[in-house]
């Protein structure tokens, strides 16, 4: 695993540069997009339960506000770095752009291990972070959301702390809140729903039958489990899944809900009854129709890609495939539905939550799902059309769509 996240930043820049070149844009376009508009690094002192004082490092990065207020999650992770947050913020700009949302791109993070913190310490850390970055936040400035190891409770603390600072109740300052505080019921599963809609649309264009189709999920966490849960609606069969503790493989299929219960009790999917363990380096070479990477950045490397037997890879995680692996998969004829499209269900649902909070209204759950499906299907179709017309990979097509929209906005605002 590369250290520092610099690799991810370079990878994001390479993807944007390629799209700028293919679109024949002026050099200033890439010059503006390769660096974030601003990144704030903060120190957050927290009084721990044992009375000691611990100082944590955190970041909030605005990559671009060309299309609207900066939008992106906050990640609590021991490996978080400034460059990783900058890369993720850049991908958020492209994600919002490709989805046609009125948002720019942002990301935040705190280097910490939330599994080692008590609820009180976690609340104190979250409130300290909000005080440190509050000048950057605002319903029309920057709207955070959940990401790795942050959840609706953390978003509620963010809303409360920001509201105290401003002396107003600011529901639209953050999305992914509990339903009681203006959140929407579908937010938890929205990323997964978007991923599964991409599986459905991609299978249709590939002529891949989904009834009984087998799939593997690497990273059986929030995005991974919820995707597996929603895949059942398509009639697909989960034959393999993995987490940091190992993997489980069962050609007859496994029930994601039962695997989750097993993981909750034992800390890993490994050893699930009836399954066999698979070494990490063999996981991606399992005989499956569909592969869903849902762990961290950089899981599919140049070494792993040649062994992939799936016909379709749908990226639930951000940045799971390195560019050299992309080239291998392209050559093998594997369709890769890229992260900025396949994992965009969450930010799309966040947009619905933000609109409702600004309007003081609430929509029915069925309406939210219909709207999400409509947007995902339309965006898949526009990326697929670009892929076919320009004879480029689905990833290049998504970056072309995303970069074009954001640079058009920059030009109209007089930034280029
Ligand atoms: P999570 O922490 O809930 O789950 C991550 C899972 O990956 C864990 O089960 C962990 O054990 C596993 N994992 C980590 N390293 C692994 C490895 N080397 N091999 C196999 N498994 C490994 O995090 P999440 O929220 O599900 O996020 C996962 C990915 O999805 C990230 O890239 C995140 O940016 C992306 N994503 C999440 C959301 C969301 O709403 N949660 C939205 C969009 C994108």
């Amino acid at each position: 695993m590369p250290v520092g996240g610099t690799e991810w930043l370079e990878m994001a820049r390479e993807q944007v540069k390629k799209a700028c070149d293919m679109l024949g844009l002026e050099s200033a376009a890439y010059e503006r997009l390769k660096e974030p508009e601003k990144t704030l690094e903060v120190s957050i002192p927290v009084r721990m339960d044992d009375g000691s004082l611990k100082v944590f490092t955190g970041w909030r990065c605005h990559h671009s506000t060309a299309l609207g207020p900066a939008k992106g999650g906050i990640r609590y992770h021991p490996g978080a770095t400034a460059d990783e947050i900058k890369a993720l913020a850049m991908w958020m700009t492209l994600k919002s752009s490709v989805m046609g949302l009125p948002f720019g791109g942002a990301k935040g993070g705190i280097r910490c291990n939330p599994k080692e913190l008590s609820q009180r310490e976690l609340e104190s850390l979250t409130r300290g972070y909000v005080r440190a970055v509050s000048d950057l936040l605002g319903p029309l400035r920057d709207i955070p959301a959940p990401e790795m190891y942050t959840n609706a409770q953390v978003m509620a603390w963010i809303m409360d702390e920001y509201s105290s600072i401003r002396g107003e109740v600011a529901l639209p300052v953050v999305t992914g809140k509990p339903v009681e505080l203006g959140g929407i019921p579908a937010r938890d599963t929205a990323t997964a729903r978007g991923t599964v809609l991409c599986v459905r649309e991609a299978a249709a264009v590939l002529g891949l039958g989904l009834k009984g189709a087998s799939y593997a999920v690497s990273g059986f966490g929030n995005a991974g489990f919820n995707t597996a849960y929603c895949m059942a609606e398509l009639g697909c069969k989960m034959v393999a899944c993995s987490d940091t503790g190992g993997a489980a493989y069962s050609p007859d299929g496994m029930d994601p809900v039962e695997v989750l219960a097993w993981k909750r009790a034992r800390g890993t999917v490994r050893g699930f009854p009836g399954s066999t363990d698979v070494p990490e380096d063999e996981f991606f070479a399992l005989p499956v129709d569909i592969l869903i990477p849902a762990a961290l950045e950089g899981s599919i490397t140049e070494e792993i890609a040649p062994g992939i037997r799936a016909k379709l890879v749908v990226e639930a995680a951000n940045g799971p495939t390195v560019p050299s692996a992309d080239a291998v998969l392209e050559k093998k004829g594997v369709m890769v539905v890229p992260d900025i499209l396949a994992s965009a269900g969450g930010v799309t649902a966040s947009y619905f939550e933000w609109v409702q909070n600004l309007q003081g209204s609430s929509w029915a759950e069925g309406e939210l799902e219909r709207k999400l499906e409509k947007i995902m299907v339309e965006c898949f179709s526009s990326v697929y059309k670009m892929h076919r017309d320009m004879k480029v990979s689905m990833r290049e097509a998504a970056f072309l769509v995303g970069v074009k929209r954001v640079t058009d906005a920059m030009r109209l605002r007089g930034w280029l």
Side-chain angles (χ1 to χ4, degrees), residues 1 75-77 88 92 95 107 115 145-150 187-188 190-192 195 217-226 241-247 263 267-269 280 283-284 293-297 299 315-320 339 342-347:
M1 172 91 166
R75 169 178 288 204
Y76 289 1
H77 197 270
L88 289 162
M92 279 309 298
K95 198 180 275 193
K107 208 77 175 190
K115 290 179 185 166
E147 231 264 1
M148 284 185 90
Y149 297 125
T150 54
R187 177 60 183 82
D188 265 0
T191 303
T195 306
V217 182
S218 88
F220 202 69
N222 190 3
F225 163 72
N226 282 313
C241 58
S242 70
D243 58 28
T244 42
K263 180 178 161 81
T268 173
V269 298
E280 202 180 339
F283 183 83
F284 289 101
L296 286 175
E297 301 88 356
S299 316
E315 297 181 336
N318 284 304
D339 48 5
S343 75
V347 69

Side-chain angles (χ1 to χ4, degrees), residues 8-91:
W8 315 136
L9 184 56
E10 286 309 318
M11 175 171 150
R13 283 179 177 151
E14 221 178 282
Q15 291 163 334
V16 170
K17 173 86 170 71
K18 201 166 175 185
C20 288
D21 290 347
M22 286 176 84
L23 290 164
L25 298 177
E26 59 275 57
S27 59
Y30 175 65
E31 288 307 309
R32 286 211 71 148
L33 287 173
K34 80 173 199 223
E35 296 294 343
E37 286 174 14
K38 63 179 83 151
T39 308
L40 181 61
E41 179 169 306
V42 295
S43 294
I44 313 148
V46 175
R47 181 69 61 194
M48 307 301 279
D49 290 346
D50 66 4
S52 66
L53 190 84
K54 202 163 168 186
V55 180
F56 294 86
T57 305
W59 302 268
R60 187 69 186 164
C61 169
H62 291 184
H63 172 259
S64 170
T65 53
L67 283 164
K71 183 93 189 80
I74 297 178
R75 169 178 288 204
Y76 289 1
H77 197 270
T81 66
D83 279 353
E84 178 191 50
I85 300 300
K86 286 180 190 176
L88 289 162
M90 195 183 289
W91 283 322

